mmCIF file with all atom_site columns, all heavy atoms in Angstrom:
data_model
loop_
_atom_site.group_PDB
_atom_site.id
_atom_site.type_symbol
_atom_site.label_atom_id
_atom_site.label_alt_id
_atom_site.label_comp_id
_atom_site.label_asym_id
_atom_site.label_entity_id
_atom_site.label_seq_id
_atom_site.pdbx_PDB_ins_code
_atom_site.Cartn_x
_atom_site.Cartn_y
_atom_site.Cartn_z
_atom_site.occupancy
_atom_site.B_iso_or_equiv
_atom_site.pdbx_formal_charge
_atom_site.auth_seq_id
_atom_site.auth_comp_id
_atom_site.auth_asym_id
_atom_site.auth_atom_id
_atom_site.pdbx_PDB_model_num
ATOM 1   N N   . THR A 1 59 ? 315.381 128.400 -41.268 1.00 85.00 ? 59 THR A N   1
ATOM 2   C CA  . THR A 1 59 ? 314.698 129.629 -40.858 1.00 85.00 ? 59 THR A CA  1
ATOM 3   C C   . THR A 1 59 ? 315.695 130.661 -40.357 1.00 85.00 ? 59 THR A C   1
ATOM 4   O O   . THR A 1 59 ? 315.597 131.853 -40.685 1.00 85.00 ? 59 THR A O   1
ATOM 5   C CB  . THR A 1 59 ? 313.665 129.314 -39.763 1.00 85.00 ? 59 THR A CB  1
ATOM 6   O OG1 . THR A 1 59 ? 312.702 128.381 -40.281 1.00 85.00 ? 59 THR A OG1 1
ATOM 7   C CG2 . THR A 1 59 ? 312.952 130.586 -39.315 1.00 85.00 ? 59 THR A CG2 1
ATOM 8   N N   . THR A 1 60 ? 316.667 130.207 -39.564 1.00 85.00 ? 60 THR A N   1
ATOM 9   C CA  . THR A 1 60 ? 317.688 131.114 -39.041 1.00 85.00 ? 60 THR A CA  1
ATOM 10  C C   . THR A 1 60 ? 318.508 131.727 -40.165 1.00 85.00 ? 60 THR A C   1
ATOM 11  O O   . THR A 1 60 ? 318.776 132.937 -40.178 1.00 85.00 ? 60 THR A O   1
ATOM 12  C CB  . THR A 1 60 ? 318.617 130.371 -38.067 1.00 85.00 ? 60 THR A CB  1
ATOM 13  O OG1 . THR A 1 60 ? 317.847 129.887 -36.965 1.00 85.00 ? 60 THR A OG1 1
ATOM 14  C CG2 . THR A 1 60 ? 319.723 131.282 -37.557 1.00 85.00 ? 60 THR A CG2 1
ATOM 15  N N   . ALA A 1 61 ? 318.914 130.901 -41.125 1.00 80.00 ? 61 ALA A N   1
ATOM 16  C CA  . ALA A 1 61 ? 319.723 131.398 -42.241 1.00 80.00 ? 61 ALA A CA  1
ATOM 17  C C   . ALA A 1 61 ? 318.959 132.438 -43.051 1.00 80.00 ? 61 ALA A C   1
ATOM 18  O O   . ALA A 1 61 ? 319.515 133.480 -43.431 1.00 80.00 ? 61 ALA A O   1
ATOM 19  C CB  . ALA A 1 61 ? 320.134 130.233 -43.137 1.00 80.00 ? 61 ALA A CB  1
ATOM 20  N N   . ARG A 1 62 ? 317.698 132.161 -43.329 1.00 80.00 ? 62 ARG A N   1
ATOM 21  C CA  . ARG A 1 62 ? 316.890 133.113 -44.082 1.00 80.00 ? 62 ARG A CA  1
ATOM 22  C C   . ARG A 1 62 ? 316.766 134.436 -43.318 1.00 80.00 ? 62 ARG A C   1
ATOM 23  O O   . ARG A 1 62 ? 316.886 135.519 -43.907 1.00 80.00 ? 62 ARG A O   1
ATOM 24  C CB  . ARG A 1 62 ? 315.513 132.516 -44.374 1.00 80.00 ? 62 ARG A CB  1
ATOM 25  C CG  . ARG A 1 62 ? 314.627 133.411 -45.248 1.00 80.00 ? 62 ARG A CG  1
ATOM 26  C CD  . ARG A 1 62 ? 313.243 132.791 -45.404 1.00 80.00 ? 62 ARG A CD  1
ATOM 27  N NE  . ARG A 1 62 ? 313.290 131.580 -46.196 1.00 80.00 ? 62 ARG A NE  1
ATOM 28  C CZ  . ARG A 1 62 ? 313.214 131.582 -47.521 1.00 80.00 ? 62 ARG A CZ  1
ATOM 29  N NH1 . ARG A 1 62 ? 313.086 132.732 -48.177 1.00 80.00 ? 62 ARG A NH1 1
ATOM 30  N NH2 . ARG A 1 62 ? 313.244 130.440 -48.193 1.00 80.00 ? 62 ARG A NH2 1
ATOM 31  N N   . ARG A 1 63 ? 316.517 134.349 -42.000 1.00 83.00 ? 63 ARG A N   1
ATOM 32  C CA  . ARG A 1 63 ? 316.336 135.563 -41.199 1.00 83.00 ? 63 ARG A CA  1
ATOM 33  C C   . ARG A 1 63 ? 317.620 136.395 -41.161 1.00 83.00 ? 63 ARG A C   1
ATOM 34  O O   . ARG A 1 63 ? 317.589 137.624 -41.302 1.00 83.00 ? 63 ARG A O   1
ATOM 35  C CB  . ARG A 1 63 ? 315.901 135.198 -39.788 1.00 83.00 ? 63 ARG A CB  1
ATOM 36  C CG  . ARG A 1 63 ? 315.505 136.419 -38.949 1.00 83.00 ? 63 ARG A CG  1
ATOM 37  C CD  . ARG A 1 63 ? 315.126 136.066 -37.533 1.00 83.00 ? 63 ARG A CD  1
ATOM 38  N NE  . ARG A 1 63 ? 316.302 135.714 -36.734 1.00 83.00 ? 63 ARG A NE  1
ATOM 39  C CZ  . ARG A 1 63 ? 316.598 134.487 -36.338 1.00 83.00 ? 63 ARG A CZ  1
ATOM 40  N NH1 . ARG A 1 63 ? 315.797 133.488 -36.626 1.00 83.00 ? 63 ARG A NH1 1
ATOM 41  N NH2 . ARG A 1 63 ? 317.684 134.247 -35.628 1.00 83.00 ? 63 ARG A NH2 1
ATOM 42  N N   . LEU A 1 64 ? 318.762 135.733 -40.977 1.00 82.00 ? 64 LEU A N   1
ATOM 43  C CA  . LEU A 1 64 ? 320.025 136.447 -40.920 1.00 82.00 ? 64 LEU A CA  1
ATOM 44  C C   . LEU A 1 64 ? 320.357 137.099 -42.264 1.00 82.00 ? 64 LEU A C   1
ATOM 45  O O   . LEU A 1 64 ? 320.875 138.224 -42.316 1.00 82.00 ? 64 LEU A O   1
ATOM 46  C CB  . LEU A 1 64 ? 321.150 135.500 -40.503 1.00 82.00 ? 64 LEU A CB  1
ATOM 47  C CG  . LEU A 1 64 ? 321.087 134.991 -39.058 1.00 82.00 ? 64 LEU A CG  1
ATOM 48  C CD1 . LEU A 1 64 ? 322.170 133.947 -38.823 1.00 82.00 ? 64 LEU A CD1 1
ATOM 49  C CD2 . LEU A 1 64 ? 321.235 136.148 -38.070 1.00 82.00 ? 64 LEU A CD2 1
ATOM 50  N N   . ALA A 1 65 ? 320.051 136.386 -43.346 1.00 77.00 ? 65 ALA A N   1
ATOM 51  C CA  . ALA A 1 65 ? 320.306 136.948 -44.671 1.00 77.00 ? 65 ALA A CA  1
ATOM 52  C C   . ALA A 1 65 ? 319.412 138.159 -44.925 1.00 77.00 ? 65 ALA A C   1
ATOM 53  O O   . ALA A 1 65 ? 319.843 139.149 -45.523 1.00 77.00 ? 65 ALA A O   1
ATOM 54  C CB  . ALA A 1 65 ? 320.081 135.889 -45.746 1.00 77.00 ? 65 ALA A CB  1
ATOM 55  N N   . GLU A 1 66 ? 318.167 138.084 -44.480 1.00 80.00 ? 66 GLU A N   1
ATOM 56  C CA  . GLU A 1 66 ? 317.264 139.221 -44.640 1.00 80.00 ? 66 GLU A CA  1
ATOM 57  C C   . GLU A 1 66 ? 317.775 140.436 -43.870 1.00 80.00 ? 66 GLU A C   1
ATOM 58  O O   . GLU A 1 66 ? 317.739 141.572 -44.370 1.00 80.00 ? 66 GLU A O   1
ATOM 59  C CB  . GLU A 1 66 ? 315.862 138.842 -44.166 1.00 80.00 ? 66 GLU A CB  1
ATOM 60  C CG  . GLU A 1 66 ? 315.138 137.887 -45.102 1.00 80.00 ? 66 GLU A CG  1
ATOM 61  C CD  . GLU A 1 66 ? 313.846 137.354 -44.518 1.00 80.00 ? 66 GLU A CD  1
ATOM 62  O OE1 . GLU A 1 66 ? 313.615 137.580 -43.297 1.00 80.00 ? 66 GLU A OE1 1
ATOM 63  O OE2 . GLU A 1 66 ? 313.071 136.716 -45.255 1.00 80.00 ? 66 GLU A OE2 1
ATOM 64  N N   . LYS A 1 67 ? 318.267 140.200 -42.659 1.00 79.00 ? 67 LYS A N   1
ATOM 65  C CA  . LYS A 1 67 ? 318.799 141.315 -41.861 1.00 79.00 ? 67 LYS A CA  1
ATOM 66  C C   . LYS A 1 67 ? 320.035 141.916 -42.522 1.00 79.00 ? 67 LYS A C   1
ATOM 67  O O   . LYS A 1 67 ? 320.216 143.143 -42.530 1.00 79.00 ? 67 LYS A O   1
ATOM 68  C CB  . LYS A 1 67 ? 319.135 140.836 -40.454 1.00 79.00 ? 67 LYS A CB  1
ATOM 69  C CG  . LYS A 1 67 ? 317.901 140.557 -39.591 1.00 79.00 ? 67 LYS A CG  1
ATOM 70  C CD  . LYS A 1 67 ? 318.301 140.182 -38.170 1.00 79.00 ? 67 LYS A CD  1
ATOM 71  C CE  . LYS A 1 67 ? 317.071 139.986 -37.286 1.00 79.00 ? 67 LYS A CE  1
ATOM 72  N NZ  . LYS A 1 67 ? 317.440 139.630 -35.901 1.00 79.00 ? 67 LYS A NZ  1
ATOM 73  N N   . ALA A 1 68 ? 320.890 141.062 -43.076 1.00 77.00 ? 68 ALA A N   1
ATOM 74  C CA  . ALA A 1 68 ? 322.092 141.551 -43.745 1.00 77.00 ? 68 ALA A CA  1
ATOM 75  C C   . ALA A 1 68 ? 321.720 142.387 -44.963 1.00 77.00 ? 68 ALA A C   1
ATOM 76  O O   . ALA A 1 68 ? 322.327 143.431 -45.235 1.00 77.00 ? 68 ALA A O   1
ATOM 77  C CB  . ALA A 1 68 ? 322.983 140.378 -44.155 1.00 77.00 ? 68 ALA A CB  1
ATOM 78  N N   . ARG A 1 69 ? 320.707 141.948 -45.696 1.00 70.00 ? 69 ARG A N   1
ATOM 79  C CA  . ARG A 1 69 ? 320.266 142.704 -46.868 1.00 70.00 ? 69 ARG A CA  1
ATOM 80  C C   . ARG A 1 69 ? 319.649 144.038 -46.461 1.00 70.00 ? 69 ARG A C   1
ATOM 81  O O   . ARG A 1 69 ? 319.816 145.044 -47.151 1.00 70.00 ? 69 ARG A O   1
ATOM 82  C CB  . ARG A 1 69 ? 319.276 141.876 -47.691 1.00 70.00 ? 69 ARG A CB  1
ATOM 83  C CG  . ARG A 1 69 ? 319.950 140.720 -48.432 1.00 70.00 ? 69 ARG A CG  1
ATOM 84  C CD  . ARG A 1 69 ? 321.100 141.261 -49.284 1.00 70.00 ? 69 ARG A CD  1
ATOM 85  N NE  . ARG A 1 69 ? 321.969 140.231 -49.761 1.00 70.00 ? 69 ARG A NE  1
ATOM 86  C CZ  . ARG A 1 69 ? 321.842 139.647 -50.951 1.00 70.00 ? 69 ARG A CZ  1
ATOM 87  N NH1 . ARG A 1 69 ? 320.852 139.988 -51.742 1.00 70.00 ? 69 ARG A NH1 1
ATOM 88  N NH2 . ARG A 1 69 ? 322.709 138.742 -51.337 1.00 70.00 ? 69 ARG A NH2 1
ATOM 89  N N   . GLU A 1 70 ? 318.920 144.048 -45.369 1.00 76.00 ? 70 GLU A N   1
ATOM 90  C CA  . GLU A 1 70 ? 318.349 145.310 -44.882 1.00 76.00 ? 70 GLU A CA  1
ATOM 91  C C   . GLU A 1 70 ? 319.464 146.305 -44.548 1.00 76.00 ? 70 GLU A C   1
ATOM 92  O O   . GLU A 1 70 ? 319.358 147.501 -44.847 1.00 76.00 ? 70 GLU A O   1
ATOM 93  C CB  . GLU A 1 70 ? 317.487 145.051 -43.648 1.00 76.00 ? 70 GLU A CB  1
ATOM 94  C CG  . GLU A 1 70 ? 316.159 144.376 -43.949 1.00 76.00 ? 70 GLU A CG  1
ATOM 95  C CD  . GLU A 1 70 ? 315.391 144.038 -42.694 1.00 76.00 ? 70 GLU A CD  1
ATOM 96  O OE1 . GLU A 1 70 ? 315.864 144.411 -41.598 1.00 76.00 ? 70 GLU A OE1 1
ATOM 97  O OE2 . GLU A 1 70 ? 314.327 143.402 -42.800 1.00 76.00 ? 70 GLU A OE2 1
ATOM 98  N N   . LEU A 1 71 ? 320.524 145.805 -43.932 1.00 72.00 ? 71 LEU A N   1
ATOM 99  C CA  . LEU A 1 71 ? 321.655 146.670 -43.606 1.00 72.00 ? 71 LEU A CA  1
ATOM 100 C C   . LEU A 1 71 ? 322.313 147.198 -44.877 1.00 72.00 ? 71 LEU A C   1
ATOM 101 O O   . LEU A 1 71 ? 322.670 148.389 -44.964 1.00 72.00 ? 71 LEU A O   1
ATOM 102 C CB  . LEU A 1 71 ? 322.673 145.900 -42.770 1.00 72.00 ? 71 LEU A CB  1
ATOM 103 C CG  . LEU A 1 71 ? 323.959 146.659 -42.390 1.00 72.00 ? 71 LEU A CG  1
ATOM 104 C CD1 . LEU A 1 71 ? 323.621 147.910 -41.585 1.00 72.00 ? 71 LEU A CD1 1
ATOM 105 C CD2 . LEU A 1 71 ? 324.892 145.748 -41.610 1.00 72.00 ? 71 LEU A CD2 1
ATOM 106 N N   . GLN A 1 72 ? 322.456 146.347 -45.889 1.00 65.00 ? 72 GLN A N   1
ATOM 107 C CA  . GLN A 1 72 ? 323.052 146.788 -47.147 1.00 65.00 ? 72 GLN A CA  1
ATOM 108 C C   . GLN A 1 72 ? 322.197 147.864 -47.808 1.00 65.00 ? 72 GLN A C   1
ATOM 109 O O   . GLN A 1 72 ? 322.721 148.851 -48.338 1.00 65.00 ? 72 GLN A O   1
ATOM 110 C CB  . GLN A 1 72 ? 323.226 145.596 -48.102 1.00 65.00 ? 72 GLN A CB  1
ATOM 111 C CG  . GLN A 1 72 ? 324.312 144.621 -47.665 1.00 65.00 ? 72 GLN A CG  1
ATOM 112 C CD  . GLN A 1 72 ? 324.391 143.416 -48.576 1.00 65.00 ? 72 GLN A CD  1
ATOM 113 O OE1 . GLN A 1 72 ? 323.491 143.142 -49.367 1.00 65.00 ? 72 GLN A OE1 1
ATOM 114 N NE2 . GLN A 1 72 ? 325.484 142.681 -48.475 1.00 65.00 ? 72 GLN A NE2 1
ATOM 115 N N   . ARG A 1 73 ? 320.871 147.658 -47.799 1.00 66.00 ? 73 ARG A N   1
ATOM 116 C CA  . ARG A 1 73 ? 319.981 148.662 -48.398 1.00 66.00 ? 73 ARG A CA  1
ATOM 117 C C   . ARG A 1 73 ? 320.073 149.990 -47.641 1.00 66.00 ? 73 ARG A C   1
ATOM 118 O O   . ARG A 1 73 ? 320.070 151.062 -48.260 1.00 66.00 ? 73 ARG A O   1
ATOM 119 C CB  . ARG A 1 73 ? 318.540 148.143 -48.413 1.00 66.00 ? 73 ARG A CB  1
ATOM 120 C CG  . ARG A 1 73 ? 318.282 147.073 -49.452 1.00 66.00 ? 73 ARG A CG  1
ATOM 121 C CD  . ARG A 1 73 ? 316.794 146.826 -49.624 1.00 66.00 ? 73 ARG A CD  1
ATOM 122 N NE  . ARG A 1 73 ? 316.195 146.210 -48.459 1.00 66.00 ? 73 ARG A NE  1
ATOM 123 C CZ  . ARG A 1 73 ? 316.085 144.893 -48.287 1.00 66.00 ? 73 ARG A CZ  1
ATOM 124 N NH1 . ARG A 1 73 ? 316.549 144.069 -49.218 1.00 66.00 ? 73 ARG A NH1 1
ATOM 125 N NH2 . ARG A 1 73 ? 315.524 144.395 -47.213 1.00 66.00 ? 73 ARG A NH2 1
ATOM 126 N N   . TYR A 1 74 ? 320.148 149.916 -46.335 1.00 63.00 ? 74 TYR A N   1
ATOM 127 C CA  . TYR A 1 74 ? 320.262 151.123 -45.531 1.00 63.00 ? 74 TYR A CA  1
ATOM 128 C C   . TYR A 1 74 ? 321.555 151.867 -45.863 1.00 63.00 ? 74 TYR A C   1
ATOM 129 O O   . TYR A 1 74 ? 321.570 153.100 -46.023 1.00 63.00 ? 74 TYR A O   1
ATOM 130 C CB  . TYR A 1 74 ? 320.231 150.760 -44.044 1.00 63.00 ? 74 TYR A CB  1
ATOM 131 C CG  . TYR A 1 74 ? 320.523 151.932 -43.122 1.00 63.00 ? 74 TYR A CG  1
ATOM 132 C CD1 . TYR A 1 74 ? 319.570 152.925 -42.904 1.00 63.00 ? 74 TYR A CD1 1
ATOM 133 C CD2 . TYR A 1 74 ? 321.763 152.028 -42.490 1.00 63.00 ? 74 TYR A CD2 1
ATOM 134 C CE1 . TYR A 1 74 ? 319.847 154.003 -42.061 1.00 63.00 ? 74 TYR A CE1 1
ATOM 135 C CE2 . TYR A 1 74 ? 322.047 153.105 -41.648 1.00 63.00 ? 74 TYR A CE2 1
ATOM 136 C CZ  . TYR A 1 74 ? 321.082 154.081 -41.437 1.00 63.00 ? 74 TYR A CZ  1
ATOM 137 O OH  . TYR A 1 74 ? 321.352 155.144 -40.623 1.00 63.00 ? 74 TYR A OH  1
ATOM 138 N N   . GLN A 1 75 ? 322.639 151.124 -45.981 1.00 63.00 ? 75 GLN A N   1
ATOM 139 C CA  . GLN A 1 75 ? 323.921 151.746 -46.282 1.00 63.00 ? 75 GLN A CA  1
ATOM 140 C C   . GLN A 1 75 ? 323.915 152.379 -47.671 1.00 63.00 ? 75 GLN A C   1
ATOM 141 O O   . GLN A 1 75 ? 324.489 153.461 -47.869 1.00 63.00 ? 75 GLN A O   1
ATOM 142 C CB  . GLN A 1 75 ? 325.038 150.710 -46.167 1.00 63.00 ? 75 GLN A CB  1
ATOM 143 C CG  . GLN A 1 75 ? 325.283 150.253 -44.735 1.00 63.00 ? 75 GLN A CG  1
ATOM 144 C CD  . GLN A 1 75 ? 326.250 149.098 -44.649 1.00 63.00 ? 75 GLN A CD  1
ATOM 145 O OE1 . GLN A 1 75 ? 326.425 148.335 -45.600 1.00 63.00 ? 75 GLN A OE1 1
ATOM 146 N NE2 . GLN A 1 75 ? 326.891 148.944 -43.493 1.00 63.00 ? 75 GLN A NE2 1
#
Side-chain angles (χ1 to χ4, degrees):
T59 300
T60 299
R62 184 184 292 273
R63 188 182 73 252
L64 292 174
E66 288 171 350
K67 288 184 177 180
R69 288 306 166 94
E70 287 175 4
L71 178 59
Q72 290 176 345
R73 286 193 292 269
Y74 173 74
Q75 291 172 336

